[in-house]
Amino acid sequence: MPELLDSTRAALILLVSLDPDLWEIIGVSFRVSLTAMALAIPPALLIALALARLAFPGRWLLISLANTLMAVPTVVVGLMLFMLLSRSGPLGEWRLLFTQPAMVIGQWLLAIPLLIAMLHAALQGVDQRAWETARLHGAGRVAALWRLLGEARFGVMAAIVASFGRIIAEVGSAVMVGGNIEHFTRNITTAIALETLKGEYAQGIALGLVLLVLALILNLMLGILRGRGQQTLSS
Amino acid sequence: MTKESMLEINRLSHGFSATPLWTIDHLQWSGQDMVHLLGDNGSGKTTLLRILAGLDAPRQGSVHWHIEKQWQLPPCPAQVIYLHQMPYMFDTSVFDNLRLAARWHGLGRRDSQMRVGRMLHWCGLEQQGRQRARSLSGGERLRLALARAWLLQPRVLLLDEPTANLDAQAIADVDSLVADLVRAGCAVILSAHHASVLTERCQRRWQLCDGLLWESTTNAPFVAERLLR
């Protein structure tokens, strides 16, 4: 118990003293996850809009696929990507293994199904009359789709927040394709795993606290969004 | 197709099962007379209005609108506007509901603001401009929906049960707005179950009965009398 208290005190000192190593690791996490989100949101939005608005063969298969892929463990995505990117793998020539781009690809793969499934649910929930009203009042297809996004904005934001929460907290893919290389691919979750194995708890706890605070902020945001969403439905 | 008519329907039929819900062999409408569309529950009034608006495709036959000197197939955005029985309010303010329509219509910022202001005044919702549109009462929503449509100055308005669930005062308010629209040259078809000041304003009746559309004119002197009063 005293060891835990000492480690926590040391962790707080590391955080408030702006320890460069610690904040570099936090920076890697945010850079990788935000890049993955930025690259995942546009295609996920397009696919979710198509799934919500267009009737085409295989539509339900795609929706089921997105729902299934949401549950794939992060290490499995990491393993698949590792095999693809390793020297002898089909994409070995890209020389991406153990780089931040590889981590971005891994997190992109984890974010995409969750984003598609949640965005689709949000857009599917928009009243059909919204589309009809916009179109009959002269909105072009793009303008009407934009309006649909506006109508589903709380669900859309919830999807983005939830996906970001999933990928910044994942460790399986990051450690397998990132390799946890200091000053390069070491991020919050891989560092926690490493520091704990080494018996150095202070940095691990400090990084854990960052994740906890982030989780708290994301959940508060989700709660607020959900609250606003309910208000919209009941009014 | 005759030049004078605004709407031509030929061999139109629709339904959700093997037997068609209704069949309309041929129908012309000049757009001069306001039309009251009647029929029992499930007779297909909404379906007919939605097909006229181009929101649904008919199983068979054709609908043509004569708009801006040419024959067009529905939908005719901003020209033929259908208002749902419960008009959809975008999840924004009353003001923004109007501004969205103005933007889609391609109005510039100044024109848009001017016309939106005029429409708010017209429908009597000036005080509620900043209020969320979804917090309006049923009557206010309908007035806003009429203003949002009229902002585009459409040639035809299709009103699906506009007076359902409204009290007498709300119906009277809506009636005076519809009267303005008709005076300004907008052609109106409205479906309604119950007689009201609004249906009394109609000079023509289309009744869906036994899968057919029966057309008649209403009691013209009576309507005139109501108007004069």
Side-chain angles (χ1 to χ4, degrees):
Chain A
M1 193 63 184
E3 193 188 348
L4 184 65
L5 284 176
D6 287 345
S7 300
T8 308
R9 194 177 307 125
L12 288 172
I13 291 168
L14 276 178
L15 275 173
V16 291
S17 66
L18 301 180
D19 179 71
D21 284 351
L22 184 86
W23 285 94
E24 186 189 31
I25 291 169
I26 296 169
V28 169
S29 261
F30 275 84
R31 195 177 316 125
V32 166
S33 296
L34 287 173
T35 309
M37 285 304 290
L39 294 173
I41 291 170
L45 257 182
L46 284 178
I47 294 171
L49 276 169
L51 290 174
R53 291 297 329 158
L54 303 176
F56 56 88
R59 176 171 166 268
W60 281 108
L61 198 69
L62 262 177
I63 293 169
S64 305
L65 191 68
N67 285 325
T68 310
L69 289 179
M70 269 200 308
V72 171
T74 58
V75 280
V76 175
V77 171
L79 173 69
M80 279 174 17
L81 202 56
F82 184 92
M83 293 196 302
L84 283 174
L85 296 178
S86 62
R87 283 278 170 96
S88 54
L91 306 177
E93 282 182 13
W94 291 6
R95 300 266 191 270
L96 283 180
L97 198 60
F98 305 138
T99 63
Q100 286 187 16
M103 295 164 79
V104 169
I105 296 171
Q107 297 198 350
W108 186 89
L109 288 171
L110 289 168
I112 277 277
L114 184 60
L115 273 174
I116 291 174
M118 286 187 73
L119 289 172
H120 168 251
L123 290 166
Q124 189 79 15
V126 176
D127 197 317
Q128 171 70 11
R129 293 174 305 159
W131 173 261
E132 294 176 353
T133 304
R135 292 289 283 150
L136 284 183
H137 284 72
R141 276 178 198 280
V142 175
L145 283 176
W146 188 246
R147 190 58 239 157
L148 281 192
L149 281 180
E151 296 294 292
R153 62 190 175 278
F154 299 120
V156 168
M157 284 190 279
I160 291 171
V161 168
S163 303
F164 181 69
R166 171 173 158 93
I167 63 170
I168 201 162
E170 72 87 21
V171 63
S173 159
V175 79
M176 291 192 79
V177 298
N180 193 29
I181 303 167
E182 196 172 8
H183 306 302
F184 189 43
T185 57
R186 180 166 298 173
N187 72 359
I188 298 178
T189 53
T190 60
I192 290 176
L194 178 85
E195 296 299 317
T196 310
L197 284 177
K198 282 187 350 197
E200 305 252 343
Y201 298 124
Q203 200 184 52
I205 292 175
L207 292 168
L209 283 174
V210 173
L211 275 188
L212 270 177
V213 170
L214 184 70
L216 182 71
I217 294 171
L218 293 179
N219 271 300
L220 279 176
M221 281 170 69
L222 267 179
I224 293 166
L225 294 176
R226 211 170 284 142
R228 290 293 307 270
Q230 277 166 2
Q231 212 174 39
T232 307
L233 281 174
S234 61
S235 58
Chain B
M1 287 181 224
T2 55
K3 238 184 171 179
E4 296 76 30
S5 62
M6 172 180 255
L7 169 69
E8 284 228 10
I9 293 176
N10 284 302
R11 300 182 196 286
L12 193 69
S13 75
H14 196 71
F16 305 99
S17 59
T19 24
L21 190 57
W22 42 250
T23 304
I24 303 168
D25 191 43
H26 180 73
L27 181 77
Q28 279 188 347
W29 177 49
S30 69
Q32 306 287 322
D33 301 341
M34 187 168 153
V35 175
H36 177 195
L37 176 63
L38 303 98
D40 294 335
N41 272 340
S43 59
K45 303 188 292 291
T46 296
T47 309
L48 175 56
L49 289 180
R50 287 178 63 84
I51 287 172
L52 294 183
L55 293 176
D56 292 327
R59 186 188 285 179
Q60 246 183 4
S62 65
V63 173
H64 286 91
W65 289 100
H66 193 243
I67 307 270
E68 286 178 348
K69 295 179 183 165
Q70 55 179 345
W71 287 98
Q72 301 178 25
L73 290 169
C76 311
Q79 296 288 350
V80 177
I81 295 185
Y82 166 82
L83 294 195
H84 297 89
Q85 184 172 347
M86 306 275 278
Y88 186 81
M89 297 287 112
F90 294 109
D91 191 12
T92 55
S93 65
V94 169
F95 185 83
D96 279 347
N97 261 271
L98 294 169
R99 204 170 51 176
L100 277 171
R103 195 196 301 159
W104 292 330
H105 199 43
L107 292 182
R109 204 187 166 97
R110 189 183 287 180
D111 275 355
S112 160
Q113 258 180 352
M114 211 168 65
R115 215 185 282 188
V116 166
R118 214 185 304 151
M119 284 301 117
L120 274 177
H121 175 73
W122 178 68
C123 68
L125 292 173
E126 273 169 316
Q127 301 299 317
Q128 289 96 321
R130 286 172 180 274
Q131 199 175 316
R132 286 182 64 233
R134 292 184 178 179
S135 67
L136 296 175
S137 70
E140 287 170 335
R141 283 179 182 217
L142 185 54
R143 272 151 53 198
L144 176 58
L146 283 170
R148 191 174 59 189
W150 188 231
L151 187 142
L152 309 176
Q153 301 194 313
R155 296 297 317 281
V156 185
L157 268 185
L158 307 170
L159 308 177
D160 193 357
E161 298 273 4
T163 53
N165 309 319
L166 293 189
D167 62 25
Q169 183 56 50
I171 293 175
D173 292 343
V174 169
D175 177 60
S176 85
L177 296 185
V178 172
D180 284 348
L181 299 184
V182 172
R183 254 196 303 275
C186 181
V188 176
I189 301 174
L190 70 92
S191 72
H193 254 315
H194 305 292
S196 67
V197 278
L198 208 53
T199 57
E200 284 169 13
R201 193 174 285 289
C202 298
Q203 300 99 340
R204 190 166 290 273
R205 247 190 226 136
W206 292 351
Q207 181 150 17
L208 280 169
C209 186
D210 300 329
L212 294 170
L213 186 78
W214 306 84
E215 189 182 17
S216 63
T217 51
T218 58
N219 190 339
F222 175 70
V223 172
E225 190 194 330
R226 291 279 323 182
L227 284 174
L228 286 172
R229 233 192 282 164

